[in-house]
Amino acid sequence: MVERSTSLKTVDSCQTVANNVQLEMVFAGNVPAGQWMRLRYQTSLYCSAGRLAIRFGADGGEVQAALPAAFFGAGEWLGLVPQGTRRVNIILSDGCAATDFHLASCEVLSFREVVSLARGRSAGKTLLAAGLGAVGLRGDASGILQDVLGATPLERYHEWRALNGRDLDLAGLEAQRDSWRQGPHIRVIVHTIDEKSAEALDTTFASLQRQTYPNWSLTLVGAEMTHRGDRQAFRVEADARAGLLWEGLEASDIVLPVVAGDVVADYAMAALVEFAAGRPDCSMFYADEDSIDARRRHVAPELKPDWSPIFHEARPYVGRAVYFRRRALEAHADRPLAALLRPSAWNALFAAEAGPVGHIRRLLLTKPWKPAETGTPVIVARPTMERATATLIVPTRDRADLLAACLAGLEKTEPRNFDLVIVDNGSKEPATHDLFERVRMHSWARVVDVAGPFNFSALCNRAAELAEGQVLVFLNNDTAAMQPDWLATLVSWAVRPDVGAVGPKLVYPSGRLQHAGLVLGLGGYAAHIDNGAGPEHRGYLDRFTVPHEVSAVTGACLAVEKGKFDAIGGFDAKRYPIELGDVDLCLRLRQRGWKTVFTPYAVLKHHESATRGRSNVAKRYAKERRHFLESWKDAVLDDPFFHPALSLTARRTRLDH
């Protein structure tokens, strides 16, 4: 490997980066185009973590890659610089200033050195990559190597945390801020939820004494609390009124509850204050957390999505790293203190919050591990079943066997408040036309002929113009409903005023998972997370067991109110004739304030691309992918419902790098 001397300069203006800081890498010599490059860098732990981007500019355009979020302060990226690259820019995450980033080193590695690094993670995939590289298929080889080097199993979280952590840089990235002189006061409330040893209490108090933010005070709940420290503590009895906890605070000051035995990260209060300063309209905040077991190993990271009220209602997830401005608690001043200092009470406060809720993407709390907590009960949340009418739209071309299975599922669907539009795109097989004749015998079904090259988006738009239902349900011809109420479930979500697109759980004929929502940026564009997981797989944080917000759902089965669909102009048939049109639709709905929801309570079987085939996907849909990045290059770096510390290269949920 060769160390490359580099410096950074701020780019004053960039139309594509919104409010994010863009830094240009200035090399001493030529840009290492066509070579492997490794960057090591640090970001301030006072900034909420987010993925960074590296963009390679050439005469023919720009190529983008995501950089790990440096969740514990240190990050590393290893990748191939595209041929023809003339400039390299680093885009910082939202809210981070140039002074919050430090490029520690830049190295150029040989292909042999990269293979050696990858071999320790996956010998089989590395051998395949080496073979592809030997026969000149460098692009395929580099893709495999980057996948291998870009993900760590969740089971190795302890090692991953240690590898990506660093000491606080109190003279640099974590220096005290001048703004703290007028910063909010934090009232720390230490309380117990069960018997705690003196050692556990001392652990909590020691972590509080290490805080870099100075403006805080301490309140102890319960007579059994014994505090040994320099900071004076105010004590209240457990049966007192809750208002005593925040007495003397201003409305925007912050209450920070801590369970005795928990460890508050050294930078936690500073990160909280910095985050809250940029969000004066937020009254409630939560952060990420993990646990530490009896062997002193960090386990069970809870890397939470940004505020997801549907998910929280179904499976409360905010945990113990929660924070409240005084104004959020005023209505509860006369409640018994003990009743308010419970996780169930915190969950209820978040669930009832009508305003914005802030998620600090940093690990601010570590709690003692309890094996019993792995069995978190799931609350089944189902919206009221609506009687709105629906129009089912099924584009098709031949494959009568698949379409017949799809129609058989529709025959069993209840209630039958829907009509069906089959859009035939040039079917030629006699069996298909025989099936069409049988379909036309039903008063609730019709077949519309649309000639021309296969354009899924255009076919769907044409059928939507003819639709009579309040809700449109776009359905692939290779899907089959597995329960009678699947449609009623989708419709009940689609008619909610805050919801745009809705998608069900899709499984392969084998029963393995095919779709439970798409993740932006996965695989470079958008893809199904945990594709191929077994039927028993619950998903990270149990997300596959309950309805929850996602950034996009697949067009293989997608429900949306016709009025909302028409309001955004339907599918973009020109830019996305086949691939990524569903993701683009969901993102444009989001721009109008309508969220996308996945529900596991509707399940369909899906053969996936059985009609069109799956060969040469990247080459066949190169134009769609180029258009997608032109429109959504910032969105693919920051899926709000997929934590930035999770990998975008692995199709199963893994840690990034």
Side-chain angles (χ1 to χ4, degrees):
M1 66 186 68
V2 178
E3 180 81 21
R4 289 296 302 269
S5 176
T6 56
S7 61
L8 297 174
K9 69 175 183 179
T10 304
V11 178
D12 293 331
S13 62
C14 180
Q15 295 180 348
T16 64
V17 187
N19 296 320
N20 296 36
V21 174
Q22 181 175 195
L23 304 172
E24 182 179 354
M25 294 185 65
V26 180
F27 294 87
N30 295 327
V31 174
Q35 301 181 69
W36 286 88
M37 184 170 70
R38 177 165 61 187
L39 304 180
R40 290 191 172 104
Y41 51 91
Q42 299 168 353
T43 62
S44 174
L45 289 163
Y46 297 164
C47 291
S48 186
R51 297 186 205 277
L52 297 78
I54 185 166
R55 291 180 181 162
F56 306 99
D59 293 339
E62 193 174 61
V63 176
Q64 171 178 285
L67 301 184
F71 186 56
F72 285 104
E76 179 180 306
W77 175 82
L78 176 60
L80 187 65
V81 180
Q83 293 281 2
T85 297
R86 293 179 176 273
R87 62 187 179 278
V88 181
N89 291 344
I90 294 174
I91 316 300
L92 303 188
S93 58
D94 185 31
C96 280
T99 53
D100 295 321
F101 177 81
H102 171 64
L103 181 61
S105 66
C106 173
E107 300 166 318
V108 174
L109 279 66
S110 68
F111 181 75
R112 183 187 297 272
E113 289 171 323
V114 175
V115 168
S116 179
L117 291 171
R119 188 179 296 117
R121 294 197 173 200
S122 175
K125 290 184 178 180
T126 303
L127 181 61
L128 174 61
L132 292 171
V135 297
L137 299 175
R138 296 188 66 199
D140 294 333
S142 66
I144 293 173
L145 291 174
Q146 286 177 305
D147 287 350
V148 170
L149 293 168
T152 299
L154 286 163
E155 294 75 19
R156 292 186 57 80
Y157 170 72
H158 179 78
E159 292 77 11
W160 178 85
R161 172 177 166 148
L163 182 66
N164 292 283
R166 61 171 175 81
D167 295 333
L168 295 183
D169 179 10
L170 297 178
L173 293 173
E174 283 82 42
Q176 289 203 3
R177 309 300 201 238
D178 291 338
S179 60
W180 291 355
R181 296 172 185 172
Q182 288 79 41
H185 186 88
I186 296 178
R187 177 70 52 79
V188 180
I189 313 296
V190 179
H191 62 103
T192 61
I193 55 176
D194 51 30
E195 292 297 324
K196 296 290 180 181
S197 67
E199 181 182 357
L201 292 172
D202 287 345
T203 298
T204 298
F205 294 142
S207 73
L208 294 173
Q209 294 294 339
R210 293 192 297 268
Q211 294 301 304
T212 57
Y213 183 73
N215 189 14
W216 62 277
S217 58
L218 179 62
T219 295
L220 308 180
V221 178
E224 73 282 0
M225 289 279 190
T226 301
H227 171 51
R228 294 187 292 274
D230 298 333
R231 192 172 294 260
Q232 184 177 1
F234 176 68
R235 189 184 305 277
V236 297
E237 297 300 323
D239 57 355
R241 58 186 291 272
L244 290 176
L245 295 177
W246 52 84
E247 195 170 66
L249 296 184
E250 299 293 333
S252 60
D253 288 339
I254 298 173
V255 174
L256 190 162
V258 181
V259 176
D262 290 355
V263 174
V264 181
D266 299 3
Y267 52 86
M269 292 188 198
L272 170 60
V273 166
E274 289 295 299
F275 185 86
R279 295 157 183 82
D281 55 339
C282 280
S283 296
M284 298 185 188
F285 309 90
Y286 63 95
D288 305 310
E289 58 193 273
D290 65 6
S291 299
I292 190 165
D293 65 16
R295 298 180 298 162
R296 310 303 297 169
R297 288 181 59 84
H298 290 92
V299 296
E302 297 174 37
L303 306 175
K304 305 164 189 175
D306 285 355
W307 180 232
S308 307
I310 293 172
F311 185 31
H312 181 72
E313 179 185 3
R315 193 274 194 195
Y317 71 86
V318 294
R320 294 201 333 210
V322 294
Y323 319 99
F324 307 92
R325 294 194 194 269
R326 171 180 169 156
R327 63 184 182 232
L329 301 173
E330 285 295 342
H332 306 278
D334 292 326
R335 291 181 63 181
L337 186 154
L340 189 63
L341 293 178
R342 297 176 181 273
S344 59
W346 304 336
N347 289 334
L349 289 174
F350 278 92
E353 176 62 15
V357 172
H359 171 212
I360 307 163
R361 296 167 165 182
R362 289 286 182 194
L363 192 134
L364 302 190
L365 185 77
T366 296
K367 58 184 182 287
W369 167 244
K370 287 187 176 182
E373 293 181 358
T374 58
T376 303
V378 171
I379 301 169
V380 177
R382 295 175 184 261
T384 303
M385 293 299 181
E386 297 284 344
R387 300 291 293 185
T389 58
T391 294
L392 277 56
I393 295 171
V394 183
T396 193
R397 178 187 290 172
D398 289 318
R399 290 303 303 266
D401 56 330
L402 293 175
L403 182 59
C406 178
L407 297 178
L410 302 186
E411 290 275 7
K412 300 174 184 177
T413 298
E414 295 291 344
R416 300 192 60 80
N417 53 339
F418 65 89
D419 66 296
L420 170 67
V421 178
I422 296 176
V423 191
D424 179 37
N425 184 227
S427 293
K428 298 179 179 179
E429 297 173 358
T432 305
H433 287 280
D434 290 344
L435 180 59
F436 288 162
E437 289 304 313
R438 295 196 297 273
V439 168
R440 291 187 175 100
M441 296 174 63
H442 296 287
S443 60
W444 50 272
R446 52 183 159 162
V447 179
V448 177
D449 296 321
V450 179
F454 184 80
N455 183 320
F456 178 84
S457 295
L459 297 175
C460 289
N461 287 344
R462 174 62 180 135
E465 294 173 358
L466 306 174
E468 300 174 355
Q470 178 183 346
V471 175
L472 307 175
V473 181
F474 301 100
L475 197 62
N476 277 17
N477 65 347
D478 57 351
T479 58
M482 299 177 67
Q483 58 206 108
D485 65 346
W486 71 276
L487 180 59
T489 299
L490 295 182
V491 168
S492 66
W493 282 106
V495 297
R496 283 181 43 157
D498 60 333
V499 171
V502 186
K505 180 179 180 179
L506 300 180
V507 298
Y508 291 111
S510 65
R512 291 191 170 274
L513 180 68
Q514 191 257 317
H515 168 266
L518 286 93
V519 171
L520 296 180
L522 188 62
Y525 306 92
H528 305 289
I529 189 65
D530 290 331
N531 180 276
E536 73 290 344
H537 185 57
R538 301 174 64 85
Y540 186 60
L541 301 181
D542 294 324
R543 61 188 172 191
F544 295 165
T545 65
V546 294
H548 64 276
E549 295 87 342
V550 293
S551 286
V553 291
T554 178
C557 182
L558 184 154
V560 58
E561 266 193 310
K562 188 177 189 305
K564 298 167 185 172
F565 182 82
D566 292 341
I568 64 167
F571 289 104
D572 188 338
K574 182 177 180 180
R575 293 167 65 86
Y576 306 104
I578 300 177
E579 191 185 45
L580 294 170
D582 44 10
V583 184
D584 173 76
L585 180 85
C586 293
L587 292 177
R588 286 187 288 119
L589 286 166
R590 186 170 80 179
Q591 285 182 328
R592 296 288 294 269
W594 294 308
K595 63 185 66 173
T596 297
V597 174
F598 160 79
T599 174
Y601 302 145
V603 185
L604 289 85
K605 186 184 302 180
H606 185 210
H607 293 268
E608 192 179 21
S609 302
T611 307
R612 294 183 286 112
R614 303 179 63 181
S615 61
N616 299 317
V617 170
K619 293 180 180 178
R620 290 168 62 187
Y621 306 138
K623 287 185 178 180
E624 283 106 316
R625 295 184 174 192
R626 185 175 68 251
H627 290 320
F628 186 75
L629 290 183
E630 288 172 355
S631 298
W632 305 110
K633 67 164 59 175
D634 295 329
V636 298
L637 293 172
D638 188 22
D639 187 324
F641 309 114
F642 191 74
H643 196 281
L646 298 175
S647 174
L648 291 180
T649 62
R651 295 304 174 97
R652 297 293 181 91
T653 303
R654 299 284 189 270
L655 299 163
D656 197 7
H657 186 68

